[in-house]
Amino acid sequence: MADFFLCFPGYLKRQRQLEFVKRASFSGETHLNLPKPANQTEQDYQTLIQTLLAQNYQQNEQFVALRTDLLNDFGLWLHQIKTPLAAMDLATQTGTEIDPVEIKAELIQVNDYLGVMLNYLKQNFDHEDLRFTEVQVKPILKRVMQAHA
């Protein structure tokens, strides 16, 4: 029973420190003003906590930057896709005969922009899909030339 009364204040102190760390880690703080450590073990734990909080903050900043870049890129691509679609819509509204060559050119632009968007996503978010293999260039060039002819 005497051990309980001797150890309980230390237990309460550690619980308060733990609650403090929990609150601080969810509030986005990167540096905590922790109480002075009582021994080397507490000092090591405090150092570890500070390091982990700094790493967490850095990862969150990288995520926010990546998300911002992604939204900016997609906003640009969406505007680029809207231009050929608007041209096709305008061509259908004028009542004149629609030139299939012009429509085909506009559809190729839309397809190219969509391809760029998909490749961007594959390269940045799905690393399992990226494979390097040797290919014959001639059939690829032939297909591209036919699509753009």
Side-chain angles (χ1 to χ4, degrees), residues 32-140:
L32 301 175
N33 292 322
L34 295 172
K36 186 176 179 187
N39 55 39
Q40 185 60 41
T41 303
E42 284 186 11
Q43 175 65 43
D44 292 343
Y45 277 118
Q46 287 184 6
T47 303
L48 178 63
I49 289 168
Q50 297 282 12
T51 302
L52 291 174
L53 282 175
Q55 288 174 352
N56 185 34
Y57 178 78
Q58 185 178 19
Q59 287 175 346
N60 286 339
E61 290 295 311
Q62 289 173 347
F63 174 75
V64 168
L66 178 66
R67 190 179 78 198
T68 302
D69 290 345
L70 181 66
L71 290 174
N72 289 339
D73 291 343
F74 271 87
L76 175 66
W77 286 323
L78 288 174
H79 284 290
Q80 289 174 327
I81 289 172
K82 283 173 56 177
T83 303
L85 291 175
M88 287 187 287
D89 186 41
L90 186 61
T92 59
Q93 290 177 14
T94 59
T96 60
E97 191 172 316
I98 299 171
D99 184 12
V101 175
E102 284 183 32
I103 297 297
K104 175 91 172 157
E106 299 297 333
L107 286 173
I108 287 172
Q109 278 187 341
V110 169
N111 192 35
D112 288 345
Y113 287 133
L114 289 174
V116 168
M117 290 169 66
L118 289 174
N119 285 332
Y120 178 84
L121 287 174
K122 284 179 183 179
Q123 289 176 355
N124 288 303
F125 296 104
D126 190 11
H127 298 288
E128 297 171 4
D129 196 31
L130 185 62
R131 290 180 298 188
F132 292 98
T133 59
E134 286 188 31
V135 295
Q136 294 294 322
V137 176
K138 187 175 182 180
I140 295 171

Side-chain angles (χ1 to χ4, degrees), residues 1-14:
M1 189 69 164
D3 288 340
F4 174 77
F5 288 111
L6 291 175
C7 295
F8 191 69
Y11 169 79
L12 282 179
K13 177 183 172 189
R14 285 184 195 79

Side-chain angles (χ1 to χ4, degrees), residues 20-37:
F20 179 75
V21 169
K22 283 181 185 178
R23 280 193 311 273
S25 65
F26 289 115
S27 68
E29 293 185 38
T30 59
H31 184 74
L32 301 175
N33 292 322
L34 295 172
K36 186 176 179 187

